[in-house]
Amino acid sequence: QVQLVESGGGLVQAGGSLRLSCAASGSILRINNMGWYRQAPGKQRDFVARINEGGGTTYADSVKGRFSISRDNAKNTVFLEINSLKPEDTAVYFCTADIVSVSRARFNSWGQGTQVTVSS
């Protein structure tokens, strides 16, 4: 079994910053892409950022220049640095990982989400 656990969400004023973390644990052989999505109330889950095993990154246009994704491969952890927060960034943030297990199964795993609320 593999588990992803997010942390770091909270209530912050507009213009503030947060750092989200997501740690993967379990029977992991390797992790390919890791990423973040977010879902605002009443809306679909949207892509935010992705990072591959080599550190290459991709961002949604709406967060470019404000969000920064990174990872620690030794700790199977992905981070999302969120700066210049806006009220429209309010959402539940989910991490995801493309995992290869020790049994050579490959699958996509999701965390349970962490709430980010930005007050104006």
Side-chain angles (χ1 to χ4, degrees), residues 17-61:
S17 299
L18 281 174
R19 189 183 195 221
L20 307 184
S21 301
C22 173
S25 62
S27 303
I28 298 171
L29 178 64
R30 63 178 288 185
I31 303 178
N32 298 314
N33 289 338
M34 301 185 82
W36 291 91
Y37 283 69
R38 65 185 180 183
Q39 187 167 19
K43 296 191 176 181
Q44 66 182 20
R45 189 174 298 188
D46 291 329
F47 168 75
V48 173
R50 177 189 305 117
I51 184 167
N52 63 30
E53 195 172 10
T57 58
T58 305
Y59 294 93
D61 288 342

Side-chain angles (χ1 to χ4, degrees), residues 11-12 25 34 43 49 52 56 65 77 108 115-116:
L11 173 63
V12 63
S25 62
M34 301 185 82
K43 296 191 176 181
N52 63 30
T77 299
N108 203 51
Q115 177 71 48
V116 171

Side-chain angles (χ1 to χ4, degrees), residues 9-14 18 85-93 114-120:
L11 173 63
V12 63
Q13 287 189 329
L18 281 174
L85 277 158
K86 305 175 182 180
E88 52 264 42
D89 294 319
T90 294
V92 178
Y93 284 69
T114 186
Q115 177 71 48
V116 171
T117 302
V118 184
S119 63
S120 56

